[in-house]
Amino acid sequence: MTITMVILFLCLWPISHSGADLFTYFDKFIHMGMHGTLTFVLMRDLYLVHFYNWTPKDIVARVFCFSFFLGCSIEFLQAWMALGRFFDPYDVMANCVGAGVGIFLGFKVFRSRRK
């Protein structure tokens, strides 16, 4: 829950576009990192709580759907709130890539612990 709130805060905070990015599309890597971390932690939590109730596919589907919904919601809120941010479909793609990486890493880590 805390990670979700931090992501919402960082993504909805008004910014000034001063060109201080390290390189082009730097913010996409930030999006991937935030959503990758979120999905990894969610996978860990769901894996620990629902180890016997859900299959790994159920956990992956739920985590990815949550991360995708959160990423899309943030982008629509950025457009709606008009705080110097705007809707960017590439941010949604970066969120999904980050979620995929987080799921992959989570699956590898927790699958190896299961054996």
Side-chain angles (χ1 to χ4, degrees):
M1 182 67 155
T2 304
I3 293 174
T4 305
M5 298 306 291
V6 169
I7 289 173
L8 283 171
F9 176 78
L10 292 175
C11 289
L12 297 177
W13 187 259
I15 60 167
S16 64
H17 296 282
S18 62
D21 290 346
L22 296 176
F23 52 88
T24 306
Y25 302 117
F26 176 72
D27 67 315
K28 305 311 179 239
F29 288 99
I30 301 297
H31 280 266
M32 285 190 280
M34 288 190 304
H35 282 269
T37 302
L38 173 68
T39 54
F40 182 81
V41 170
L42 285 175
M43 287 226 13
R44 183 205 61 179
D45 291 349
L46 290 178
Y47 184 81
L48 294 175
V49 172
H50 298 289
F51 178 75
Y52 297 107
N53 301 339
W54 294 348
T55 65
K57 288 181 184 178
D58 291 336
I59 293 172
V60 167
R62 291 168 195 257
V63 167
F64 187 81
C65 286
F66 176 78
S67 185
F68 178 76
F69 176 75
L70 179 67
C72 288
S73 298
I74 287 171
E75 292 304 314
F76 283 111
L77 282 172
Q78 286 177 349
W80 180 69
M81 293 175 67
L83 295 172
R85 297 203 176 242
F86 56 92
F87 180 88
D88 187 359
Y90 293 121
D91 285 348
V92 175
M93 288 191 296
N95 296 341
C96 289
V97 169
V101 170
I103 287 171
F104 175 77
L105 292 176
F107 192 70
K108 288 292 185 186
V109 168
F110 302 119
R111 186 74 162 193
S112 65
R113 289 185 183 178
R114 188 176 201 180
K115 294 179 181 180

